[in-house]
Amino acid sequence: QSVLTQPPSASGTPGQRVAISCSGSSSNIGSNFVYWYQQVPGTAPKLLIYRNNLRPSGVPDRFSGSKSGTSASLAISGLRSEDEADYYCAAWDDSLSNWLFGGGTKLTVL
Amino acid sequence: QVTLRESGPALVKPTQTLTLTCTFSGMSLSTSAMCVSWIRQSPGKALEWLARIDWDDAKYYSTSLKTRLTISKDTSKNQVVLIMTNMDPVDTATYYCTRTLSRFLGRDKEVGIDYWGQGTLVTVSS
C-alpha cells in the first residue's frame, strides 16, 4: 500500500477536464515539492510536473499541478486520446528519507 | 542532454545476487545537487523507489528493502551500480535508473526525479 494515495482510475471524454488527486502527510507532500509522471504502457515514465506546478519544456499547458497542505492535484484540460496513460504523483519523505510514489491512476479517455 | 542507460542480466535465479549498472551522460556525480536513484516496476504494478546516491556519496535505501540493497558510484566512469541480494521471483520487474536532484532553492528544499533511463527487465526464475 502506497503512502501517497491516488484514485486507481479516472476517465473523461475528449475535450473534458479531469483532475487526479494525491494525498500524503506532513513529512512528504506537506514539506516537499510534488512531482507528477505520465507513463504510457510499455514505456518509461515521463516527467509531467515538477516543483508542484511547473511544466518541463514540451509538456502542453493543458497539464497543470497544484498543492495545498498535504494534498496535491493534477489537472488535465481539453482531454485528448493520447492522454490515456497511467499517472503517478511522487515526493520525498523527510521522516523515511525515501522517495515515495502514489499507487498510480489509470486515465481512460472514453 | 541527460541520458541514462541501465545494463545487467535479463534473467537471474532465485537466491542469486543481481548487479545492475547505470551509465549516464550529460551530468556528473561530482557536481553538487546531482544524484542517481533506482526505481523498479513489477508487471502491472506501481513504481517503487529503491535507492539513491548523492554527489557527496550520501546513500539512501528503501526502508522495506534496505537489508538487500547496496548502491555505489564510480564518478570517473559516470556509472552507478545497484546490488540486490537474495533475489526472489517477486523481484521480477523493470528496473529504471533516474537522475535525482537534491538542493536548496532559497529556503525550499528540492528533491526531485527528472530524467529516466529506458529501463531493463529482470526476470527471476529457476
Side-chain angles (χ1 to χ4, degrees):
Chain A
Q1 188 171 356
S2 303
V3 179
L4 301 184
T5 303
Q6 297 179 235
S9 64
S11 63
T13 56
Q16 268 191 331
R17 178 185 184 276
V18 297
I20 298 171
S21 62
C22 176
S23 177
S25 69
S26 58
S27 61
N28 42 69
I29 292 178
S31 51
N32 290 291
F33 289 120
V34 177
Y35 286 64
W36 290 91
Y37 302 92
Q38 178 193 58
Q39 186 180 32
V40 174
T43 69
K46 166 191 166 185
L47 178 64
L48 207 57
I49 297 289
Y50 67 103
R51 292 186 209 157
N52 302 333
N53 57 13
L54 300 180
R55 287 184 308 278
S57 173
V59 174
D61 59 7
R62 301 185 296 104
F63 294 89
S64 62
S66 63
K67 176 182 131 174
S68 178
T70 59
S71 294
S73 182
L74 172 72
I76 310 170
S77 60
L79 203 59
R80 303 175 66 149
S81 58
E82 59 258 40
D83 298 333
E84 194 162 278
D86 296 320
Y87 293 84
Y88 293 90
C89 62
W92 183 255
D93 189 289
D94 290 334
S95 295
L96 299 173
S97 290
N98 276 202
W99 179 258
L100 303 178
F101 287 102
T105 298
K106 182 176 182 60
L107 175 64
T108 301
V109 181
L110 302 170
Chain B
Q1 174 72 351
V2 175
T3 62
L4 307 104
R5 186 182 75 251
E6 307 86 353
S7 58
L11 179 67
V12 297
K13 290 180 167 49
T15 75
Q16 285 188 336
T17 294
L18 171 68
T19 300
L20 293 173
T21 300
C22 173
T23 303
F24 52 86
S25 62
M27 59 175 270
S28 172
L29 265 183
S30 61
T31 301
S32 177
M34 294 298 148
C35 320
V36 167
S37 292
W38 284 94
I39 290 160
R40 72 178 180 180
Q41 186 174 37
S42 300
K45 302 294 186 181
L47 300 166
E48 180 183 20
W49 177 84
L50 301 176
R52 169 188 140 193
I53 188 164
D54 293 3
W55 77 98
D56 59 359
D57 212 37
K59 299 165 187 173
Y60 303 88
Y61 295 101
S62 162
T63 53
S64 59
L65 292 168
K66 60 183 176 182
T67 60
R68 299 174 51 205
L69 296 173
T70 302
I71 193 169
S72 62
K73 64 181 172 72
D74 186 330
T75 303
S76 64
K77 293 183 177 179
N78 279 352
Q79 289 183 333
V80 169
V81 173
L82 181 73
I83 297 172
M84 180 178 288
T85 61
N86 194 24
M87 293 293 284
D88 183 272
V90 300
D91 296 313
T92 293
T94 296
Y95 288 75
Y96 295 100
C97 169
T98 69
R99 186 179 84 160
T100 305
L101 301 174
S102 178
R103 59 190 173 186
F104 280 91
L105 300 171
R107 64 188 180 98
D108 291 322
K109 172 171 55 67
E110 174 179 38
V111 179
I113 292 174
D114 51 7
Y115 291 94
W116 297 64
Q118 64 184 16
T120 185
L121 175 62
V122 177
T123 301
V124 184
S125 174
S126 55

PDB file of all heavy atoms in Angstrom, chain A residues 60-90:
ATOM      1  N   PRO A  60       2.494  20.127 -22.734  1.00  0.00           N
ATOM      2  CA  PRO A  60       1.442  21.110 -23.074  1.00  0.00           C
ATOM      3  C   PRO A  60       0.872  21.784 -21.833  1.00  0.00           C
ATOM      4  O   PRO A  60       0.807  21.185 -20.752  1.00  0.00           O
ATOM      5  CB  PRO A  60       0.376  20.244 -23.756  1.00  0.00           C
ATOM      6  CG  PRO A  60       1.086  19.014 -24.198  1.00  0.00           C
ATOM      7  CD  PRO A  60       2.168  18.774 -23.209  1.00  0.00           C
ATOM      8  N   ASP A  61       0.415  23.014 -22.008  1.00  0.00           N
ATOM      9  CA  ASP A  61      -0.148  23.750 -20.870  1.00  0.00           C
ATOM     10  C   ASP A  61      -1.541  23.256 -20.494  1.00  0.00           C
ATOM     11  O   ASP A  61      -2.179  23.810 -19.603  1.00  0.00           O
ATOM     12  CB  ASP A  61      -0.149  25.256 -21.136  1.00  0.00           C
ATOM     13  CG  ASP A  61      -0.954  25.645 -22.364  1.00  0.00           C
ATOM     14  OD1 ASP A  61      -1.620  24.759 -22.946  1.00  0.00           O
ATOM     15  OD2 ASP A  61      -0.920  26.825 -22.741  1.00  0.00           O
ATOM     16  N   ARG A  62      -1.999  22.211 -21.169  1.00  0.00           N
ATOM     17  CA  ARG A  62      -3.245  21.548 -20.755  1.00  0.00           C
ATOM     18  C   ARG A  62      -3.050  20.827 -19.418  1.00  0.00           C
ATOM     19  O   ARG A  62      -4.026  20.509 -18.731  1.00  0.00           O
ATOM     20  CB  ARG A  62      -3.689  20.520 -21.808  1.00  0.00           C
ATOM     21  CG  ARG A  62      -3.929  21.097 -23.178  1.00  0.00           C
ATOM     22  CD  ARG A  62      -4.490  20.063 -24.138  1.00  0.00           C
ATOM     23  NE  ARG A  62      -3.594  18.952 -24.407  1.00  0.00           N
ATOM     24  CZ  ARG A  62      -3.720  17.736 -23.897  1.00  0.00           C
ATOM     25  NH1 ARG A  62      -4.720  17.453 -23.057  1.00  0.00           N
ATOM     26  NH2 ARG A  62      -2.861  16.774 -24.213  1.00  0.00           N
ATOM     27  N   PHE A  63      -1.783  20.563 -19.093  1.00  0.00           N
ATOM     28  CA  PHE A  63      -1.460  19.881 -17.845  1.00  0.00           C
ATOM     29  C   PHE A  63      -1.075  20.923 -16.798  1.00  0.00           C
ATOM     30  O   PHE A  63      -0.241  21.799 -17.062  1.00  0.00           O
ATOM     31  CB  PHE A  63      -0.298  18.905 -18.034  1.00  0.00           C
ATOM     32  CG  PHE A  63      -0.620  17.746 -18.943  1.00  0.00           C
ATOM     33  CD1 PHE A  63      -0.415  17.852 -20.315  1.00  0.00           C
ATOM     34  CD2 PHE A  63      -1.139  16.570 -18.431  1.00  0.00           C
ATOM     35  CE1 PHE A  63      -0.713  16.792 -21.156  1.00  0.00           C
ATOM     36  CE2 PHE A  63      -1.434  15.503 -19.256  1.00  0.00           C
ATOM     37  CZ  PHE A  63      -1.223  15.612 -20.631  1.00  0.00           C
ATOM     38  N   SER A  64      -1.677  20.816 -15.622  1.00  0.00           N
ATOM     39  CA  SER A  64      -1.337  21.747 -14.551  1.00  0.00           C
ATOM     40  C   SER A  64      -1.342  21.023 -13.215  1.00  0.00           C
ATOM     41  O   SER A  64      -2.073  20.050 -13.018  1.00  0.00           O
ATOM     42  CB  SER A  64      -2.307  22.928 -14.513  1.00  0.00           C
ATOM     43  OG  SER A  64      -3.624  22.477 -14.253  1.00  0.00           O
ATOM     44  N   GLY A  65      -0.486  21.499 -12.307  1.00  0.00           N
ATOM     45  CA  GLY A  65      -0.397  20.896 -10.984  1.00  0.00           C
ATOM     46  C   GLY A  65      -0.623  21.930  -9.907  1.00  0.00           C
ATOM     47  O   GLY A  65      -0.361  23.122 -10.098  1.00  0.00           O
ATOM     48  N   SER A  66      -1.119  21.452  -8.769  1.00  0.00           N
ATOM     49  CA  SER A  66      -1.312  22.333  -7.624  1.00  0.00           C
ATOM     50  C   SER A  66      -1.078  21.547  -6.343  1.00  0.00           C
ATOM     51  O   SER A  66      -1.093  20.310  -6.343  1.00  0.00           O
ATOM     52  CB  SER A  66      -2.723  22.933  -7.631  1.00  0.00           C
ATOM     53  OG  SER A  66      -3.696  21.913  -7.502  1.00  0.00           O
ATOM     54  N   LYS A  67      -0.854  22.297  -5.278  1.00  0.00           N
ATOM     55  CA  LYS A  67      -0.623  21.662  -3.973  1.00  0.00           C
ATOM     56  C   LYS A  67      -1.225  22.538  -2.891  1.00  0.00           C
ATOM     57  O   LYS A  67      -1.115  23.769  -2.947  1.00  0.00           O
ATOM     58  CB  LYS A  67       0.873  21.470  -3.735  1.00  0.00           C
ATOM     59  CG  LYS A  67       1.234  20.908  -2.365  1.00  0.00           C
ATOM     60  CD  LYS A  67       2.747  20.790  -2.200  1.00  0.00           C
ATOM     61  CE  LYS A  67       3.191  21.389  -0.900  1.00  0.00           C
ATOM     62  NZ  LYS A  67       4.631  21.179  -0.629  1.00  0.00           N
ATOM     63  N   SER A  68      -1.845  21.884  -1.923  1.00  0.00           N
ATOM     64  CA  SER A  68      -2.384  22.591  -0.773  1.00  0.00           C
ATOM     65  C   SER A  68      -2.217  21.705   0.454  1.00  0.00           C
ATOM     66  O   SER A  68      -2.799  20.612   0.518  1.00  0.00           O
ATOM     67  CB  SER A  68      -3.863  22.924  -0.996  1.00  0.00           C
ATOM     68  OG  SER A  68      -4.405  23.579   0.133  1.00  0.00           O
ATOM     69  N   GLY A  69      -1.417  22.172   1.387  1.00  0.00           N
ATOM     70  CA  GLY A  69      -1.181  21.388   2.595  1.00  0.00           C
ATOM     71  C   GLY A  69      -0.534  20.056   2.294  1.00  0.00           C
ATOM     72  O   GLY A  69       0.566  19.997   1.754  1.00  0.00           O
ATOM     73  N   THR A  70      -1.234  18.974   2.620  1.00  0.00           N
ATOM     74  CA  THR A  70      -0.680  17.628   2.413  1.00  0.00           C
ATOM     75  C   THR A  70      -1.322  16.924   1.227  1.00  0.00           C
ATOM     76  O   THR A  70      -1.244  15.699   1.113  1.00  0.00           O
ATOM     77  CB  THR A  70      -0.868  16.779   3.680  1.00  0.00           C
ATOM     78  OG1 THR A  70      -2.268  16.695   3.989  1.00  0.00           O
ATOM     79  CG2 THR A  70      -0.119  17.385   4.864  1.00  0.00           C
ATOM     80  N   SER A  71      -1.930  17.683   0.343  1.00  0.00           N
ATOM     81  CA  SER A  71      -2.536  17.105  -0.858  1.00  0.00           C
ATOM     82  C   SER A  71      -2.091  17.856  -2.097  1.00  0.00           C
ATOM     83  O   SER A  71      -1.738  19.030  -2.041  1.00  0.00           O
ATOM     84  CB  SER A  71      -4.072  17.152  -0.768  1.00  0.00           C
ATOM     85  OG  SER A  71      -4.542  16.321   0.264  1.00  0.00           O
ATOM     86  N   ALA A  72      -2.127  17.134  -3.200  1.00  0.00           N
ATOM     87  CA  ALA A  72      -1.780  17.726  -4.486  1.00  0.00           C
ATOM     88  C   ALA A  72      -2.765  17.233  -5.530  1.00  0.00           C
ATOM     89  O   ALA A  72      -3.490  16.255  -5.317  1.00  0.00           O
ATOM     90  CB  ALA A  72      -0.349  17.350  -4.882  1.00  0.00           C
ATOM     91  N   SER A  73      -2.765  17.923  -6.652  1.00  0.00           N
ATOM     92  CA  SER A  73      -3.701  17.561  -7.711  1.00  0.00           C
ATOM     93  C   SER A  73      -3.090  17.836  -9.072  1.00  0.00           C
ATOM     94  O   SER A  73      -2.356  18.806  -9.251  1.00  0.00           O
ATOM     95  CB  SER A  73      -4.992  18.371  -7.545  1.00  0.00           C
ATOM     96  OG  SER A  73      -5.941  18.022  -8.523  1.00  0.00           O
ATOM     97  N   LEU A  74      -3.390  16.946 -10.005  1.00  0.00           N
ATOM     98  CA  LEU A  74      -3.002  17.113 -11.404  1.00  0.00           C
ATOM     99  C   LEU A  74      -4.281  17.312 -12.199  1.00  0.00           C
ATOM    100  O   LEU A  74      -5.210  16.513 -12.082  1.00  0.00           O
ATOM    101  CB  LEU A  74      -2.265  15.878 -11.912  1.00  0.00           C
ATOM    102  CG  LEU A  74      -1.967  15.838 -13.419  1.00  0.00           C
ATOM    103  CD1 LEU A  74      -0.874  16.851 -13.751  1.00  0.00           C
ATOM    104  CD2 LEU A  74      -1.555  14.439 -13.849  1.00  0.00           C
ATOM    105  N   ALA A  75      -4.331  18.367 -12.976  1.00  0.00           N
ATOM    106  CA  ALA A  75      -5.492  18.629 -13.815  1.00  0.00           C
ATOM    107  C   ALA A  75      -5.091  18.555 -15.272  1.00  0.00           C
ATOM    108  O   ALA A  75      -4.013  19.022 -15.661  1.00  0.00           O
ATOM    109  CB  ALA A  75      -6.089  19.995 -13.498  1.00  0.00           C
ATOM    110  N   ILE A  76      -5.949  17.951 -16.055  1.00  0.00           N
ATOM    111  CA  ILE A  76      -5.743  17.861 -17.495  1.00  0.00           C
ATOM    112  C   ILE A  76      -6.983  18.451 -18.153  1.00  0.00           C
ATOM    113  O   ILE A  76      -8.097  17.948 -17.965  1.00  0.00           O
ATOM    114  CB  ILE A  76      -5.550  16.412 -17.972  1.00  0.00           C
ATOM    115  CG1 ILE A  76      -4.484  15.704 -17.127  1.00  0.00           C
ATOM    116  CG2 ILE A  76      -5.174  16.382 -19.451  1.00  0.00           C
ATOM    117  CD1 ILE A  76      -4.390  14.209 -17.376  1.00  0.00           C
ATOM    118  N   SER A  77      -6.796  19.512 -18.897  1.00  0.00           N
ATOM    119  CA  SER A  77      -7.928  20.137 -19.584  1.00  0.00           C
ATOM    120  C   SER A  77      -7.865  19.795 -21.070  1.00  0.00           C
ATOM    121  O   SER A  77      -6.813  19.391 -21.588  1.00  0.00           O
ATOM    122  CB  SER A  77      -7.898  21.644 -19.381  1.00  0.00           C
ATOM    123  OG  SER A  77      -6.696  22.182 -19.897  1.00  0.00           O
ATOM    124  N   GLY A  78      -8.987  19.941 -21.749  1.00  0.00           N
ATOM    125  CA  GLY A  78      -9.014  19.633 -23.178  1.00  0.00           C
ATOM    126  C   GLY A  78      -8.529  18.220 -23.457  1.00  0.00           C
ATOM    127  O   GLY A  78      -7.666  17.999 -24.301  1.00  0.00           O
ATOM    128  N   LEU A  79      -9.095  17.269 -22.738  1.00  0.00           N
ATOM    129  CA  LEU A  79      -8.639  15.883 -22.787  1.00  0.00           C
ATOM    130  C   LEU A  79      -8.517  15.367 -24.217  1.00  0.00           C
ATOM    131  O   LEU A  79      -9.398  15.616 -25.061  1.00  0.00           O
ATOM    132  CB  LEU A  79      -9.601  15.014 -21.987  1.00  0.00           C
ATOM    133  CG  LEU A  79      -9.098  13.687 -21.434  1.00  0.00           C
ATOM    134  CD1 LEU A  79      -7.914  13.879 -20.502  1.00  0.00           C
ATOM    135  CD2 LEU A  79     -10.240  12.977 -20.699  1.00  0.00           C
ATOM    136  N   ARG A  80      -7.424  14.651 -24.455  1.00  0.00           N
ATOM    137  CA  ARG A  80      -7.185  14.082 -25.789  1.00  0.00           C
ATOM    138  C   ARG A  80      -6.935  12.592 -25.651  1.00  0.00           C
ATOM    139  O   ARG A  80      -6.513  12.110 -24.594  1.00  0.00           O
ATOM    140  CB  ARG A  80      -5.995  14.770 -26.452  1.00  0.00           C
ATOM    141  CG  ARG A  80      -6.163  16.267 -26.577  1.00  0.00           C
ATOM    142  CD  ARG A  80      -4.934  16.935 -27.116  1.00  0.00           C
ATOM    143  NE  ARG A  80      -4.644  16.553 -28.498  1.00  0.00           N
ATOM    144  CZ  ARG A  80      -4.054  17.343 -29.373  1.00  0.00           C
ATOM    145  NH1 ARG A  80      -3.722  18.572 -29.021  1.00  0.00           N
ATOM    146  NH2 ARG A  80      -3.797  16.926 -30.587  1.00  0.00           N
ATOM    147  N   SER A  81      -7.136  11.858 -26.723  1.00  0.00           N
ATOM    148  CA  SER A  81      -6.974  10.399 -26.676  1.00  0.00           C
ATOM    149  C   SER A  81      -5.553  10.010 -26.283  1.00  0.00           C
ATOM    150  O   SER A  81      -5.343   9.007 -25.592  1.00  0.00           O
ATOM    151  CB  SER A  81      -7.336   9.782 -28.030  1.00  0.00           C
ATOM    152  OG  SER A  81      -6.537  10.328 -29.066  1.00  0.00           O
ATOM    153  N   GLU A  82      -4.586  10.814 -26.675  1.00  0.00           N
ATOM    154  CA  GLU A  82      -3.185  10.475 -26.352  1.00  0.00           C
ATOM    155  C   GLU A  82      -2.845  10.703 -24.883  1.00  0.00           C
ATOM    156  O   GLU A  82      -1.745  10.365 -24.449  1.00  0.00           O
ATOM    157  CB  GLU A  82      -2.208  11.255 -27.235  1.00  0.00           C
ATOM    158  CG  GLU A  82      -2.329  12.755 -27.126  1.00  0.00           C
ATOM    159  CD  GLU A  82      -3.078  13.344 -28.305  1.00  0.00           C
ATOM    160  OE1 GLU A  82      -4.081  12.720 -28.746  1.00  0.00           O
ATOM    161  OE2 GLU A  82      -2.668  14.413 -28.780  1.00  0.00           O
ATOM    162  N   ASP A  83      -3.773  11.262 -24.120  1.00  0.00           N
ATOM    163  CA  ASP A  83      -3.560  11.437 -22.683  1.00  0.00           C
ATOM    164  C   ASP A  83      -3.842  10.149 -21.913  1.00  0.00           C
ATOM    165  O   ASP A  83      -3.586  10.077 -20.709  1.00  0.00           O
ATOM    166  CB  ASP A  83      -4.442  12.556 -22.130  1.00  0.00           C
ATOM    167  CG  ASP A  83      -4.137  13.911 -22.755  1.00  0.00           C
ATOM    168  OD1 ASP A  83      -2.985  14.108 -23.200  1.00  0.00           O
ATOM    169  OD2 ASP A  83      -5.046  14.749 -22.811  1.00  0.00           O
ATOM    170  N   GLU A  84      -4.378   9.160 -22.600  1.00  0.00           N
ATOM    171  CA  GLU A  84      -4.676   7.883 -21.943  1.00  0.00           C
ATOM    172  C   GLU A  84      -3.366   7.241 -21.508  1.00  0.00           C
ATOM    173  O   GLU A  84      -2.512   6.902 -22.337  1.00  0.00           O
ATOM    174  CB  GLU A  84      -5.456   6.974 -22.890  1.00  0.00           C
ATOM    175  CG  GLU A  84      -6.101   5.793 -22.191  1.00  0.00           C
ATOM    176  CD  GLU A  84      -7.200   5.156 -23.018  1.00  0.00           C
ATOM    177  OE1 GLU A  84      -8.337   5.669 -23.014  1.00  0.00           O
ATOM    178  OE2 GLU A  84      -6.911   4.117 -23.665  1.00  0.00           O
ATOM    179  N   ALA A  85      -3.185   7.095 -20.208  1.00  0.00           N
ATOM    180  CA  ALA A  85      -1.924   6.626 -19.629  1.00  0.00           C
ATOM    181  C   ALA A  85      -2.113   6.448 -18.128  1.00  0.00           C
ATOM    182  O   ALA A  85      -3.186   6.708 -17.579  1.00  0.00           O
ATOM    183  CB  ALA A  85      -0.806   7.642 -19.894  1.00  0.00           C
ATOM    184  N   ASP A  86      -1.032   5.999 -17.480  1.00  0.00           N
ATOM    185  CA  ASP A  86      -1.001   5.942 -16.020  1.00  0.00           C
ATOM    186  C   ASP A  86      -0.290   7.185 -15.502  1.00  0.00           C
ATOM    187  O   ASP A  86       0.723   7.605 -16.064  1.00  0.00           O
ATOM    188  CB  ASP A  86      -0.260   4.700 -15.542  1.00  0.00           C
ATOM    189  CG  ASP A  86      -0.964   3.414 -15.940  1.00  0.00           C
ATOM    190  OD1 ASP A  86      -2.205   3.379 -15.861  1.00  0.00           O
ATOM    191  OD2 ASP A  86      -0.279   2.456 -16.334  1.00  0.00           O
ATOM    192  N   TYR A  87      -0.811   7.748 -14.420  1.00  0.00           N
ATOM    193  CA  TYR A  87      -0.248   8.964 -13.843  1.00  0.00           C
ATOM    194  C   TYR A  87       0.140   8.707 -12.394  1.00  0.00           C
ATOM    195  O   TYR A  87      -0.639   8.131 -11.622  1.00  0.00           O
ATOM    196  CB  TYR A  87      -1.251  10.118 -13.933  1.00  0.00           C
ATOM    197  CG  TYR A  87      -1.499  10.549 -15.356  1.00  0.00           C
ATOM    198  CD1 TYR A  87      -2.434   9.885 -16.148  1.00  0.00           C
ATOM    199  CD2 TYR A  87      -0.765  11.595 -15.927  1.00  0.00           C
ATOM    200  CE1 TYR A  87      -2.641  10.257 -17.470  1.00  0.00           C
ATOM    201  CE2 TYR A  87      -0.976  11.973 -17.244  1.00  0.00           C
ATOM    202  CZ  TYR A  87      -1.912  11.289 -18.010  1.00  0.00           C
ATOM    203  OH  TYR A  87      -2.102  11.663 -19.322  1.00  0.00           O
ATOM    204  N   TYR A  88       1.363   9.138 -12.038  1.00  0.00           N
ATOM    205  CA  TYR A  88       1.882   8.920 -10.691  1.00  0.00           C
ATOM    206  C   TYR A  88       2.286  10.244 -10.056  1.00  0.00           C
ATOM    207  O   TYR A  88       2.967  11.059 -10.695  1.00  0.00           O
ATOM    208  CB  TYR A  88       3.115   8.020 -10.723  1.00  0.00           C
ATOM    209  CG  TYR A  88       2.845   6.596 -11.146  1.00  0.00           C
ATOM    210  CD1 TYR A  88       2.920   6.235 -12.493  1.00  0.00           C
ATOM    211  CD2 TYR A  88       2.517   5.621 -10.213  1.00  0.00           C
ATOM    212  CE1 TYR A  88       2.670   4.921 -12.892  1.00  0.00           C
ATOM    213  CE2 TYR A  88       2.280   4.306 -10.603  1.00  0.00           C
ATOM    214  CZ  TYR A  88       2.355   3.973 -11.940  1.00  0.00           C
ATOM    215  OH  TYR A  88       2.113   2.678 -12.323  1.00  0.00           O
ATOM    216  N   CYS A  89       1.906  10.429  -8.810  1.00  0.00           N
ATOM    217  CA  CYS A  89       2.454  11.540  -8.032  1.00  0.00           C
ATOM    218  C   CYS A  89       3.622  11.001  -7.215  1.00  0.00           C
ATOM    219  O   CYS A  89       3.731   9.785  -6.983  1.00  0.00           O
ATOM    220  CB  CYS A  89       1.405  12.163  -7.123  1.00  0.00           C
ATOM    221  SG  CYS A  89       0.727  11.051  -5.857  1.00  0.00           S
ATOM    222  N   ALA A  90       4.505  11.897  -6.789  1.00  0.00           N
ATOM    223  CA  ALA A  90       5.673  11.479  -6.025  1.00  0.00           C
ATOM    224  C   ALA A  90       6.211  12.640  -5.212  1.00  0.00           C
ATOM    225  O   ALA A  90       6.047  13.810  -5.590  1.00  0.00           O
ATOM    226  CB  ALA A  90       6.755  10.947  -6.956  1.00  0.00           C
TER     227      ALA A  90
END
